[in-house]
Amino acid sequence: MIKVGIVGATGYAGAELVRILQGHPEAEIVWYGSKSYAGEAFASIYRNFFQVVESPCKSDDLKEMAKQVDVIFTATPQGYLSSIISEEILEEAKVIDLSADFRLKDVSVYEKWYGIEHKAKELIGEAVYGLDEVNREQVKKARLIANPGCYTTCSILTAYPLVKEGLIDPTTLIIDAKSGTSGAGRGAKVPNLFCEVNESIKPYGVTTHRHTPEIEEQLGYACGQEFAISFTPHLVPMNRGILATEYASLKEVKMPDGSVRKPDLAYIRSVYEKYYGKEYFVRVLPEGVMPETRWVEGSNFLDIGLAVDERCGRVIMVGAIDNLVKGAAGQAVQNMNLLFGLPENTGLTMVPLFP
Amino acid sequence: MIKVGIVGATGYAGAELVRILQGHPEAEIVWYGSKSYAGEAFASIYRNFFQVVESPCKSDDLKEMAKQVDVIFTATPQGYLSSIISEEILEEAKVIDLSADFRLKDVSVYEKWYGIEHKAKELIGEAVYGLDEVNREQVKKARLIANPGCYTTCSILTAYPLVKEGLIDPTTLIIDAKSGTSGAGRGAKVPNLFCEVNESIKPYGVTTHRHTPEIEEQLGYACGQEFAISFTPHLVPMNRGILATEYASLKEVKMPDGSVRKPDLAYIRSVYEKYYGKEYFVRVLPEGVMPETRWVEGSNFLDIGLAVDERCGRVIMVGAIDNLVKGAAGQAVQNMNLLFGLPENTGLTMVPLFP
Amino acid sequence: MIKVGIVGATGYAGAELVRILQGHPEAEIVWYGSKSYAGEAFASIYRNFFQVVESPCKSDDLKEMAKQVDVIFTATPQGYLSSIISEEILEEAKVIDLSADFRLKDVSVYEKWYGIEHKAKELIGEAVYGLDEVNREQVKKARLIANPGCYTTCSILTAYPLVKEGLIDPTTLIIDAKSGTSGAGRGAKVPNLFCEVNESIKPYGVTTHRHTPEIEEQLGYACGQEFAISFTPHLVPMNRGILATEYASLKEVKMPDGSVRKPDLAYIRSVYEKYYGKEYFVRVLPEGVMPETRWVEGSNFLDIGLAVDERCGRVIMVGAIDNLVKGAAGQAVQNMNLLFGLPENTGLTMVPLFP
Amino acid sequence: MIKVGIVGATGYAGAELVRILQGHPEAEIVWYGSKSYAGEAFASIYRNFFQVVESPCKSDDLKEMAKQVDVIFTATPQGYLSSIISEEILEEAKVIDLSADFRLKDVSVYEKWYGIEHKAKELIGEAVYGLDEVNREQVKKARLIANPGCYTTCSILTAYPLVKEGLIDPTTLIIDAKSGTSGAGRGAKVPNLFCEVNESIKPYGVTTHRHTPEIEEQLGYACGQEFAISFTPHLVPMNRGILATEYASLKEVKMPDGSVRKPDLAYIRSVYEKYYGKEYFVRVLPEGVMPETRWVEGSNFLDIGLAVDERCGRVIMVGAIDNLVKGAAGQAVQNMNLLFGLPENTGLTMVPLFP
């Protein structure tokens, strides 16, 4: 059994880790870390775990935790892990970080968008961006995993094949994303009250959301080119789910039949099939079907739908995930599975809950 | 592997059976019956099963199905099973009926409340009411299980210990119940449209709801007395969940210390502990904690909270279940497990999904 | 024009007062009091008022406000008004208090249920309980109005005719109430976050909710008898609305035809017609129709539905209001209209918003 | 008093017309037309109108209606009005059509996108597109008004100033729109059931939604150029509201200071101020503030927010309306006011309802 410690177990992502790991046959949580609730029963904070989890929350002592566990998940605010991580800890345990601390390779970009100094620059190079469908082999050998953000996971994977294959002009990429409210976390803030969120939709962080450079960096690696995108997140009155609607201009390319033209839907679909046909968690929907967040809720699936807007020469790519699963805790467990040589979907085969 | 056939697999309860059985290590669905969608891929109706269930829906041929399976679940409208069930079918396969056809022992009560003639009266006596926490031993030996209604499961089990022990006056029992909208089924009706349900709560079936006699009959067996209750269901703008708030006057009884008085909360809690302390699916919450449907969503748990209103001499019993799980498909699988000699919670240990 | 000052204008009830008074032809708000947001534009807190209300919020200086206005609405926490109210203020302006400070005549009951000392006991006697359908004439002559609570308004008026006429046994009265989330106010608390409230229903304050003694006191006046009720509120995932489902045993009484028996539905309906037939805001629904909160949203209406559960000898009375309107701001304006000799429904004829 | 007839009064848009006209001081509904509910009390279909509207629904006899009223609103499916409208009717009454029948000037575009033959081509030329902020003067003189679609109203007005002034390249315009569920109408269809819509977001009609050519035509008039846009609507789990997030590349233009460059936010805001500064219903929000649908719910306002994504050279324009008010019934009444020489906001000054 893999011994697991969680820092920040009482946030939404942390609690989702607990839920998923409860059903994992090869892992066992031995440390429920929670700064706010240390000493209280975990199941008194999340009563869904009543008579399921008997353990109390403990303090967030990362050093001590590292000695007792094989892997640490940090579901913590930005800046926490980088301020406390050390070679000593990494020698004791693998670390999978759900925060943004090690996602960006360019530390100046991190410091600009997050507005804080990075305290562990020396580890940025080593950290592996844990997007398994892209970086699977590197992940297997890593000690420190930067678990991708929720919006970024959905946004990157939805566009990845066309960016990688050079079929779209990346400078035309526009991502209009919509998220359920659990993405905002469990902090007690007026804008997240039921009456403020319910019966409304709003954009936020327009042109300034911190997942923007993360998407740009990773897609930049894919096409070998730096570029800027427009990324606009919106808050939707639902608990879970992210939907990313992505627009990009198709490039004229040499097609398999030798002609030079903008690729049609059939060809685009064949490219997605090539990239994702064997991926367990990525489901490219049948032609004409678009993703809906309800069909992935509670699961680690990413659903993708595709359309070509011929009148405009654009492709419209739509992706849907559960932000707490494929966008956070599920992907983190997927990373753990790779780190420990388990089949990638161990403990992650739960069917989406509907309705 | 237990071979399973489902009649009505494309209703909400049927689809929930599919979801649960996907995670069941000892069962395999071999027949997805659906009158409306025969010939279509099951996963094209419920896209959460895309790339999970490959099978098409088939017609509802119960006779043929019985030959191919070990157990049949019927998630069908009232009157269907009783019109088609036969000794021949029961000799081929066990039947677990999620409709009301075999729940009431008094056929005149059935015909009065449901307004239809019962076509298989000869089997009513044999059918076992599949409320396992009460009827476990009979269930194990049955061929035909009447799976209890959603409201009734929650209402009966929440009050059962006090009724059985004679601590409350059953003629004072009032059940004010609240249900999520999945209980109304997937039929296309104006009152169930999003805009009609959202941002509102309403009572319905006041004094006439069909689960009333089912509760009365079962609780009547418990106390050996016939009585009538007031039962009022309400529709709540949420997908899943039933909450039953139950009120009854406490009787003056001889207490363990010899005194004659109304039982206090501590004594009442000890009675629940006696009945449910070892039940996996019934969770009697800590003193002072009341159930919330979110803490059972997606699971087979029933959560119970208790309070004594001393100023009025009443006990207030509150129960919460997921109507599609413990109130339908989960309880049906629990029954299947008993029928086939499996541990009762096989495939039913999923943790509630929150948020 | 009546000059109006509001203390607590940036809470939900305060902002609803602003909305209603915007459409009131005879009133003008001259002081938007807000401790938290003094100095900020009211419309920057509630952007629905952008370009509608230009005024900034001011501090909560009740003395100074009293000099500048004709009537003060206090939408404040318990204990605030009683700690600051004075004869001097009441000589300058009428006061309509939306808090509980002057609702209970028995100060010991107030201090017991609210857990705070009452600082203006000398004014309790003078204060008039502003439930206009019952106390209309006293309201007209008052200086200090105790605006009833949201649950209490709905609960009392729904049962009032039968209590007053002695047709039910008040000791059997059970009120199972359900409220939208705006009733919990705009404070930033985890239990009121979207993800905590959405997709769930829960009871709270079981046997201890502070509106209990308020209902008991007022209904006690109606029947000339002290009694205790069971009152259980529930939180519903919707913004607005209260539904009260009330149960009571019918008494055997002398009927108009001379017989002694439990009244039937027709007679009960005739009693409601007698009490409410001419009330603008109370709508007794047609026989067989039950209230739904959506049909009163945004309006000052109270809808009432009635059923007799003959098998149990009980009447079931159901009432629905918008908690922020008839349960708070609308009723407060109704009181203002009476205080200033205006037609009672001035500015209050808005049709409920649906969907 | 203007005498009003409504065809399709029992759909959501029709009922919203009734709600708005109830508060209109110069109009009186004399004919509640409803094919489905003729003979039934209007208030038995929409119980919010109980004791407010006493009239029954009548059949949809447009000819007879025209004789009795001054203005007819048709809230009907596409193809209805064009199949029945006649010179005779237009001589008797003004007609404001909430369907799409007379919105598109190019009949071939209509027939292609709607898939039906247009039966009154001779009137297309006369019909005025009732977007008052653009076409105010033509509306005043019209007999037949084509009331704009909900998505189109929001989409066009949000982008109009920049298109008209030539500050953006219209061929880069992408509109990602989100709508509440009332936009889907009151038809009993499975995809609109509560459980299907709740807790999910989905795109629909990708590249094929019928509001696309309407937007293109009107914005084409603005810039004197034909172009195609990408328009993607999404369904959001809320009753009311449309949010349109619009992206376009800024053009290099000659700025007031003589320089040639892409306009900055300050200049863009000054353009919106020029166009909308005096418009009652269009509210350009303060810099840095983005629209949220909750702030316009129940009102005829359109809120607009603006941002420049300098890294990409794009402007992001966001608009929010209540789809049933500014997107349907409210705009229709605004048109009626213009037709009859009333101040444009007569009966339309209601403040948005929040929460």
Side-chain angles (χ1 to χ4, degrees), chain D residues 19-222:
Chain D
R19 183 182 77 92
I20 292 171
L21 291 171
Q22 277 300 320
H24 195 290
E26 305 288 342
E28 178 193 14
I29 304 171
V30 300
W31 191 306
Y32 296 81
S34 171
K35 207 170 66 174
S36 316
Y37 298 105
E40 296 183 51
F42 180 79
S44 74
I45 312 303
Y46 286 91
R47 291 203 180 276
N48 45 334
F49 293 99
F50 183 61
Q51 296 184 356
V52 174
V53 170
E54 306 285 350
S55 309
C57 297
K58 294 193 216 176
S59 71
D60 281 350
D61 181 341
L62 205 65
K63 264 197 190 171
E64 179 55 31
M65 189 190 284
K67 289 180 192 154
Q68 300 185 18
V69 306
D70 302 307
V71 61
I72 294 171
F73 294 92
T74 48
T76 47
Q78 328 305 342
Y80 170 82
L81 184 63
S82 51
S83 73
I84 203 168
I85 186 81
S86 66
E87 184 61 30
E88 192 186 344
I89 287 169
L90 285 174
E91 280 168 12
E92 299 269 17
K94 308 265 189 184
V95 175
I96 300 173
D97 180 26
L98 281 76
S99 88
D101 279 7
F102 293 97
R103 291 180 192 157
L104 296 165
K105 291 298 175 200
D106 184 338
V107 72
S108 69
V109 173
Y110 176 89
E111 296 188 340
K112 178 183 158 204
W113 287 76
Y114 287 89
I116 47 178
E117 191 198 348
H118 200 292
K119 299 288 184 52
K121 297 186 179 65
E122 69 284 2
L123 289 169
I124 294 177
E126 172 183 352
V128 173
Y129 191 73
L131 191 62
D132 300 332
E133 285 75 9
V134 173
N135 293 334
R136 184 169 286 123
E137 295 313 313
Q138 299 94 298
V139 167
K140 288 179 182 171
K141 299 171 289 194
R143 294 192 304 174
L144 172 57
I145 300 285
N147 208 57
C150 52
Y151 281 123
T152 45
T153 296
C154 189
S155 298
I156 293 169
L157 291 178
T158 298
Y160 186 77
L162 296 189
V163 174
K164 178 79 176 171
E165 295 284 318
L167 299 182
I168 57 176
D169 174 356
T171 68
T172 65
L173 184 61
I174 290 173
I175 301 176
D176 191 283
K178 299 91 179 168
S179 174
T181 308
S182 60
R186 213 189 189 200
K189 295 173 187 165
V190 168
N192 297 336
L193 291 176
F194 182 84
C195 289
E196 308 287 319
V197 172
N198 191 35
E199 291 299 293
S200 194
I201 182 167
K202 68 169 180 185
Y204 63 99
V206 181
T207 75
T208 63
H209 195 279
R210 292 160 169 187
H211 285 177
T212 311
E214 192 180 329
I215 299 168
E216 290 171 351
E217 186 179 302
Q218 293 296 323
L219 289 180
Y221 297 148

Side-chain angles (χ1 to χ4, degrees), chain A residues 114-156:
Chain A
Y114 286 88
I116 47 178
E117 191 197 347
H118 200 291
K119 299 287 182 54
K121 297 186 180 66
E122 70 284 2
L123 290 169
I124 295 178
E126 174 183 351
V128 173
Y129 191 72
L131 191 62
D132 299 332
E133 286 76 9
V134 172
N135 293 334
R136 184 169 288 125
E137 295 313 313
Q138 297 97 298
V139 166
K140 288 178 182 172
K141 299 170 290 192
R143 294 193 304 173
L144 172 56
I145 300 286
N147 208 56
C150 51
Y151 281 123
T152 46
T153 297
C154 189
S155 299
I156 293 170

Side-chain angles (χ1 to χ4, degrees), chain A residues 57-68:
Chain A
C57 298
K58 294 194 215 174
S59 71
D60 281 350
D61 182 340
L62 205 63
K63 264 195 192 173
E64 180 54 33
M65 189 188 285
K67 288 179 194 156
Q68 301 184 17

Side-chain angles (χ1 to χ4, degrees), chain A residues 12 186 192 194 196 198 239, chain C residues 12 186 192 194 196 198:
Chain A
Y12 287 146
R186 213 189 190 199
N192 297 336
F194 182 84
E196 308 287 318
N198 190 36
N239 286 349
Chain C
Y12 287 146
R186 214 189 189 200
N192 297 335
F194 182 83
E196 308 287 318
N198 190 35

Side-chain angles (χ1 to χ4, degrees), chain B residues 12 181-182 186-190 192-199 237-239, chain D residues 12 181-182 186-190 192-199 237-239:
Chain B
Y12 287 146
T181 307
S182 60
R186 213 189 190 201
K189 295 173 187 165
V190 168
N192 297 337
L193 291 176
F194 182 83
C195 289
E196 308 287 318
V197 172
N198 190 36
E199 290 300 295
M238 59 186 189
N239 285 350
Chain D
Y12 287 146
T181 308
S182 60
R186 213 189 189 200
K189 295 173 187 165
V190 168
N192 297 336
L193 291 176
F194 182 84
C195 289
E196 308 287 319
V197 172
N198 191 35
E199 291 299 293
M238 59 184 192
N239 286 349

Side-chain angles (χ1 to χ4, degrees), chain C residues 107-119:
Chain C
V107 72
S108 69
V109 172
Y110 175 89
E111 295 187 340
K112 179 182 157 205
W113 287 75
Y114 286 88
I116 47 177
E117 192 197 348
H118 200 291
K119 298 288 184 50

